[in-house]
Amino acid sequence: MNEPQEPRPTLGDRLVRGALFPLRVTKNSARLIRSALMGDFLTAYSLTQPDKVAMIDDRPDGTIHSLTFTELNAKSNQLANVLLEMGVRPGDSKVVWCGQNSIGLVLMINAARKLGVTAVPLNYRLSDEEATYVTDHSDTTTVYVDAEFAPMFERVRGDLPKVEQYLVFDAEAQGYTVPDGMVDVDALVAAASAEEPEIPEGTVAGSTMIYTSGTTGKPKGALRRGNSGAEQAGALMMHIGYTPDDIYIPTGPLYHSGPGGFLGLAQALGQTTVLQRKFNAEDWLRLIDKYKVTSTFCAPTPVRMACNLPAEVKAKYDVSSMRRLIANAAPWSYALKLMYLDFFPADSLFEVYGSTELGVNCVLRPEDQLRKPGSCGKPAPMVEVKLFDDDGNEVLGSGPEHTGELFVKSPSVFADYYKQHDKFLADSKHGYQTVGDIAYRDDEGYIYICDRKKDMIISGGMNVYPAEIEAALEHHPDVLEVAVFGTPSEEWGETVHAVVVVREGGSMTDHDVMDFAREHLAHYKVPRSVTFIDELPKTGSGKVLKRELRAPFWAGRASQV
């Protein structure tokens, strides 16, 4: 019989035993150890690998900024201490952050975690109306914004009475002037203490609240508390095979739960991260080649752009370092997978199915990509998946004839919709949670997403809810009724289509519809095509038959998403 093995010591155990390296105890080093023992990985890495590069921001114009783990921890502490000085309350306050990918954003992500405040990522592509709603609904008191997007808050701050301060970063670096009444936070950070912030005992790691487009026209704040799901995240990292030596590039904006969430995993493992401020296909290949990037999280559209570059352009870059590309945000077509595998290493393509609310639910491994076309894989570690029919009965059969709404139970499922608990309860069943996808299993237990119970559109990796667009368009005086849904697109996965009924005596063109939408909605939510009809098809109870409207666009396709 094998002797029981002694449990592997935790980082905290090793720090206490002095196993990592001799440490002269000072006031700040004591705080470092306390923070590490409380679970702040950045603090720990500043001790264990102080000189390793943590962040690289390499821009096409030749500007390169990088920080070691010691420097990243120090600057994150400085920002955290500035926030404390400005009245941000650990464990209580909410901070909106907004901007394109940059080290400045990463500082706030880490500072918020250290302080135990709730970070609210804001999509910089939102319209003024949308940004105002999210900021106000979240009860945010502090806005931290890239100087490029400060003018948006300058326009709407009269409608944000709860916001006490606007902190603008990267103004000087980008050649912007900080608007009157806002604060140049970079100057304050440079002068602040780099010691670990003093926070009350028992303060847990910061929460996140990402706003998703709403099924009823208004976004919902998906609240995820502290370190919930940390054990599951560790199991997922082991399942995929991540190592501390991986080099991660977020392919997409950090406000998105995918690129931002996998940044969190990369930082938790002490990996080096390469930032691309805004996606450009050839520049993305340049960064992969230059820094020998090994991992990323990617929607289908960016990869399609890279794979469609001319052969002579692609030939300039070596992408053989890629080991773990996580395909997600929208279904990847079989044709796109073949394009990817023709250019990137054959064993590098993983696909995950998940959502902002439910986290990563299924994983399709590289060896199954071509063997299981259309599948999103098997349940991820520590995830339970069940299918229920409309009567609440569990669907146990296999094959396309046995479909049901997919429900999930796991440690990483979000805690609640902020101030909208009824919406959370509406999506619950027997302790499981759903986002409304319809699926079936095959006889090996692989999951296939075949439709959506809700109307959500995924375009270019962005979630779009038709009700939000319909609510905006119905304010036009010439619109009597409107129905919005997704139509298939090889480039974007789906594009937004609007079917409009014009009021008697009114007159509209497709450009009128698009222009009006553009005034009230983010660009990616604006309909790309419009159809005009005399009357929307409806059920006897008056519900619009969207399936009937969608059917001609999706005819001949096995999947309706």
Side-chain angles (χ1 to χ4, degrees):
M1 180 180 295
N2 294 330
E3 292 293 326
Q5 293 185 346
E6 184 178 340
R8 185 176 180 180
T10 65
L11 174 62
D13 295 333
R14 295 167 67 200
L15 282 169
V16 170
R17 298 173 189 172
L20 293 176
F21 52 81
L23 185 67
R24 184 166 54 91
V25 177
T26 64
K27 180 180 179 182
N28 191 45
S29 63
R31 285 186 198 159
L32 284 171
I33 294 175
R34 174 171 168 265
S35 294
L37 292 174
M38 289 174 63
D40 185 65
F41 49 75
L42 181 57
T43 302
Y45 289 130
S46 74
L47 297 171
T48 61
Q49 50 186 37
D51 298 325
K52 181 177 179 178
V53 175
M55 288 287 150
I56 303 170
D57 186 346
D58 184 332
R59 302 189 182 179
D61 64 2
T63 303
I64 302 175
H65 296 290
S66 66
L67 295 176
T68 64
F69 276 95
T70 293
E71 294 165 337
L72 180 60
N73 188 58
K75 287 186 174 294
S76 298
N77 288 343
Q78 287 177 297
L79 177 56
N81 284 319
V82 167
L83 293 173
L84 288 175
E85 285 290 325
M86 302 193 80
V88 171
R89 300 179 300 278
D92 182 37
S93 292
K94 298 175 181 66
V95 179
V96 156
W97 57 256
C98 178
Q100 293 187 340
N101 295 357
S102 66
I103 287 177
L105 284 190
V106 177
L107 296 183
M108 174 52 78
I109 291 169
N110 285 306
R113 184 189 66 254
K114 284 171 175 280
L115 293 180
V117 302
T118 299
V120 184
L122 184 73
N123 180 349
Y124 54 80
R125 300 166 66 186
L126 295 182
S127 69
D128 288 2
E129 289 180 29
E130 294 167 315
T132 300
Y133 176 83
V134 169
T135 305
D136 186 66
H137 183 269
S138 66
D139 297 321
T140 285
T141 55
T142 298
V143 169
Y144 177 84
V145 59
D146 186 319
E148 181 179 352
F149 302 99
M152 175 178 67
F153 284 100
E154 189 176 23
R155 293 191 298 270
V156 304
R157 61 181 169 181
D159 298 319
L160 296 172
K162 301 171 194 170
V163 177
E164 299 169 0
Q165 56 221 355
Y166 296 87
L167 310 182
V168 181
F169 68 95
D170 279 357
E172 183 179 351
Q174 298 183 80
Y176 290 103
T177 301
V178 176
D180 291 340
M182 298 187 180
V183 177
D184 182 350
V185 72
D186 292 338
L188 298 179
V189 168
S193 168
E195 293 190 350
E196 294 293 317
E198 294 192 36
I199 58 175
E201 292 283 350
T203 301
V204 299
S207 302
T208 60
M209 188 156 66
I210 300 178
Y211 273 75
T212 67
S213 294
T215 56
T216 58
K218 289 295 186 183
K220 304 189 297 293
L223 178 63
R224 182 168 276 107
R225 294 193 175 97
N227 283 325
S228 62
E231 184 180 358
Q232 182 189 345
L236 177 66
M237 288 188 281
M238 291 181 63
H239 182 67
I240 294 174
Y242 287 116
T243 74
D245 294 327
D246 274 315
I247 299 172
Y248 173 70
I249 184 169
T251 305
L254 292 177
Y255 66 71
H256 193 289
S257 59
F262 277 79
L263 170 69
L265 297 183
Q267 289 198 109
L269 274 177
Q271 297 173 359
T272 296
T273 297
V274 179
L275 297 173
Q276 185 181 33
R277 181 171 176 82
K278 185 176 182 180
F279 182 78
N280 172 276
E282 184 174 356
D283 188 57
W284 183 69
L285 297 181
R286 175 185 71 85
L287 294 173
I288 292 173
D289 182 9
K290 180 176 180 179
Y291 294 104
K292 305 307 175 192
V293 169
T294 63
S295 77
T296 190
F297 175 100
C298 194
T301 300
V303 161
R304 183 176 289 108
M305 291 177 175
C307 290
N308 281 332
L309 288 170
E312 61 271 19
V313 173
K314 292 191 290 185
K316 295 190 296 183
Y317 304 104
D318 179 5
V319 296
S320 63
S321 61
M322 186 62 68
R323 289 289 176 267
R324 284 165 275 275
L325 184 140
I326 308 298
N328 186 249
W332 279 41
S333 69
Y334 189 78
L336 178 58
K337 290 182 179 182
L338 290 176
M339 290 172 62
Y340 173 87
L341 295 172
D342 188 52
F343 184 35
F344 286 86
D347 60 352
S348 66
L349 183 58
F350 290 77
E351 186 168 10
V352 302
Y353 162 75
S355 61
T356 298
E357 292 95 331
L358 307 184
V360 173
N361 305 141
C362 297
V363 180
L364 186 68
R365 296 184 59 82
E367 58 268 26
D368 294 322
Q369 293 296 330
L370 302 184
R371 189 176 74 90
K372 293 288 183 179
S375 174
C376 60
K378 288 186 172 182
M382 301 180 68
V383 175
E384 296 179 56
V385 172
K386 287 190 176 183
L387 306 180
F388 292 101
D389 64 22
D390 290 340
D391 296 323
N393 301 310
E394 186 176 359
V395 178
L396 298 174
S398 61
E401 66 275 17
H402 296 285
T403 62
E405 187 173 358
L406 187 147
F407 282 75
V408 168
K409 181 189 288 185
S410 81
S412 66
V413 168
F414 76 126
D416 207 349
Y417 285 123
Y418 186 62
K419 297 192 295 192
Q420 293 176 291
H421 186 58
D422 59 323
K423 303 292 192 298
F424 179 85
L425 292 178
D427 290 336
S428 301
K429 192 184 300 292
H430 309 309
Y432 290 72
Q433 205 73 21
T434 186
V435 291
D437 287 334
I438 307 299
Y440 67 89
R441 293 184 182 89
D442 69 10
D443 55 6
E444 293 183 64
Y446 287 79
I447 304 291
Y448 294 75
I449 307 298
C450 55
D451 204 352
R452 297 192 188 101
K453 188 172 184 178
K454 298 179 181 178
D455 287 338
M456 188 178 73
I457 301 164
I458 302 181
S459 182
M462 301 297 296
N463 293 349
V464 181
Y465 279 96
E468 188 177 5
I469 304 168
E470 292 162 356
L473 291 177
E474 285 170 358
H475 281 88
H476 192 289
D478 287 343
V479 173
L480 177 64
E481 290 184 300
V482 60
V484 173
F485 51 87
T487 58
S489 166
E490 287 301 318
E491 183 177 6
W492 302 105
E494 293 178 275
T495 56
V496 179
H497 182 82
V499 178
V500 176
V501 178
V502 180
R503 290 184 184 277
E504 185 175 353
S507 176
M508 296 189 78
T509 67
D510 54 353
H511 292 294
D512 294 332
V513 174
M514 296 176 193
D515 289 344
F516 187 78
R518 202 169 285 114
E519 292 176 16
H520 301 278
L521 299 165
H523 179 72
Y524 63 88
K525 301 176 186 178
V526 174
R528 295 300 189 267
S529 56
V530 181
T531 301
F532 294 94
I533 60 176
D534 294 332
E535 185 179 1
L536 295 179
K538 297 175 183 174
T539 65
S541 62
K543 184 177 180 181
V544 176
L545 291 166
K546 285 196 179 178
R547 286 187 180 275
E548 188 174 311
L549 294 170
R550 293 174 82 241
F553 296 92
W554 293 88
R557 292 173 177 259
S559 175
Q560 300 298 297
V561 294

